[in-house]
């Protein structure tokens, strides 16, 4: 029997080589896909844990932000000024509705946080001036001293801190959190929203004193989302952060001695408080 040869190699060797190449490619493809899936799982799991159902693209997330406006001096003009490089300072026409700069920064950080967990749809930004008491959904409140914030402290469950015009208070003990000169202070709260229809919703509050406090809180949440997800997972929590006024927001640090997290005892306390 004459054995077929191609380029000096037998037909069976060629078939074996081709099959080996195909199988190796498939195997490497599977390994590559598995590695990508693992990396995605590792990187996305902590944000998805901490955000919970907020990360579900089929469920609504409401972001509340302060709304400011400028009264017209004369029709079509406002006292709002703009500094344009190489041109100078001039009035801005036909712009009356504004967001505070710090709140807009916190809004951008919040959207970044949602994006880290894959949340892309069902996000609605609501001006607080147009809010008539809407709570039916997952909630993000930007700012710690607005009326919406005060309602958050009262209506949400597992709220560990609250703010007034003067201080940050431990919501359990009413203890005032001491603040040092030269720092801006902020809080990040994750609470439970019992006013959502059906299953309770997830509620976040990101706030602080002045521009640096709120910005420090949102910046910390954005930059440390994975860390917070690994530590607190699905539980409600409250943290206090601060940043140096001279060094800026990137100097933000978490004051870990004030970390508060949901426990079975906290659940019992919540039931007692509302009874």
């Amino acid at each position: 029997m004459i054995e077929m040869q191609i380029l000096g190699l037998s037909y069976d060797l060629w078939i074996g080589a081709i099959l080996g190449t195909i199988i190796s490619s498939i195997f490497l493809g599977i390994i590559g896909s598995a590695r990508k899936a693992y990396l995605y799982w590792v990187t996305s799991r902590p944000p998805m844990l901490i955000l919970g159902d907020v990360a579900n693209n089929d469920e609504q997330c409401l972001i509340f932000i302060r709304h400011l406006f400028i009264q017209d001096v004369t029709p079509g003009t406002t006292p709002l000024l703009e500094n344009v490089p190489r041109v100078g300072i001039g009035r801005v026409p036909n712009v009356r509705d504004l967001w505070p700069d710090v709140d807009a920064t916190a809004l951008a950080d919040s959207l970044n946080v949602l994006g880290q967990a894959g949340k892309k749809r069902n996000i609605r930004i609501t001006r607080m001036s147009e809010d008539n008491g809407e709570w039916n959904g997952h909630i993000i409140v930007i700012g710690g001293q607005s009326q919406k914030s005060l309602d958050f402290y009262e209506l949400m469950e597992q709220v560990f801190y609250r703010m007034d015009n003067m201080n940050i208070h431990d919501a359990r003990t009413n203890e005032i959190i001491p603040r040092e000169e030269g720092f801006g202070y902020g809080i990040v709260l994750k609470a439970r929203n019992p006013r959502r229809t059906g299953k309770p919703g997830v509620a976040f509050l990101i706030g602080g004193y002045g521009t640096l406090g709120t910005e420090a809180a949102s910046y910390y949440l954005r930059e440390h989302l994975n860390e917070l997800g690994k530590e607190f997972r699905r539980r409600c929590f409250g943290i206090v952060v601060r940043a140096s006024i001279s060094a800026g927001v990137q100097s933000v640090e978490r004051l870990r001695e004030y970390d508060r997290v949901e426990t079975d005892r906290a659940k019992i306390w919540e039931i007692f408080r509302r009874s």
Side-chain angles (χ1 to χ4, degrees):
M1 182 176 180
I2 301 175
E3 184 177 292
M4 294 182 61
Q5 291 189 345
I6 303 174
L7 299 178
L9 296 177
S10 70
Y11 182 77
D12 289 341
L13 286 176
W14 275 106
I15 294 297
I18 293 171
L19 288 176
T21 301
I22 293 173
I23 292 172
S24 297
S25 299
I26 294 173
F27 180 75
L28 291 174
I30 292 173
I31 293 297
S33 298
R35 182 174 180 275
K36 289 179 181 179
Y38 173 75
L39 290 175
Y40 174 79
W41 184 83
V42 168
T43 57
S44 66
R45 180 169 166 78
M48 293 179 71
L49 280 175
I50 197 169
L51 291 180
D53 290 338
V54 179
N56 188 338
N57 279 299
D58 294 327
E59 298 193 14
Q60 181 167 245
C61 176
L62 307 174
I63 303 178
F64 293 91
I65 187 170
R66 286 184 299 168
H67 168 225
L68 309 180
F69 68 92
I70 296 175
Q71 188 172 5
D72 288 344
V73 178
T74 57
T77 66
T78 70
L80 185 65
L81 302 178
E82 178 184 22
N83 186 10
V84 180
R86 300 181 302 278
V87 175
I89 298 175
R91 290 187 181 275
V92 179
N94 303 317
V95 175
R96 296 181 64 251
D97 299 298
L98 306 169
W99 288 339
D101 178 78
V102 60
D103 290 357
T105 299
L107 172 62
D109 287 340
S110 299
L111 293 174
N112 182 293
V113 165
L114 294 176
Q116 290 185 51
K119 177 72 171 178
K120 300 178 181 178
R121 295 185 286 106
N122 281 324
I123 302 170
R124 177 154 62 87
I125 300 169
T126 301
R127 296 170 174 173
M128 291 184 187
S129 61
E130 299 172 352
D131 171 45
N132 294 315
E134 187 172 7
W135 296 99
N136 189 15
H138 303 297
I139 304 294
I140 299 176
V141 175
I142 294 175
Q145 298 159 299
S146 68
Q147 185 58 51
K148 193 70 175 181
S149 306
L150 300 180
D151 292 340
F152 183 103
Y153 304 140
E154 291 298 320
L155 299 177
M156 300 297 100
E157 296 176 350
Q158 302 300 328
V159 175
F160 292 98
Y161 288 103
R162 57 182 175 82
M163 294 176 62
D164 56 28
N165 292 333
M166 299 295 296
N167 294 295
I168 300 172
H169 297 263
D170 186 312
R172 299 299 195 247
T173 64
N174 206 35
E175 172 191 1
I176 294 175
I177 306 305
R179 290 181 287 145
E180 293 183 32
E181 291 292 331
F183 292 90
Y185 285 75
I187 57 175
V188 177
L189 304 177
K190 178 187 175 182
R192 187 175 296 111
N193 177 14
R195 296 182 174 250
R196 178 176 178 266
T197 301
K199 182 181 177 182
V202 180
F204 283 89
L205 182 139
I206 304 164
Y209 286 98
T211 58
L212 187 59
T214 300
E215 188 177 1
S218 67
Y219 180 85
Y220 188 91
L221 179 62
R222 186 191 83 193
E223 292 298 309
H224 296 268
L225 188 63
N226 278 327
E227 175 187 342
L228 293 172
K230 292 174 182 177
E231 290 186 40
F232 298 129
R233 300 175 68 80
R234 296 184 180 277
R235 295 176 293 175
C236 298
F237 67 87
I239 62 172
V240 179
V241 301
R242 73 176 186 178
S244 166
I245 293 174
S246 61
V249 68
Q250 292 186 3
S251 68
V252 66
E253 60 179 334
R254 176 170 142 205
L255 304 181
R256 291 179 178 270
E257 64 268 32
Y258 299 116
D259 284 0
R260 302 289 184 268
V261 62
E262 181 180 24
T263 63
D264 291 338
R265 178 179 292 182
K267 292 179 182 179
I268 294 172
W269 189 96
E270 189 69 43
I271 293 172
F272 174 78
R273 185 175 77 89
R274 295 187 178 277
S275 63

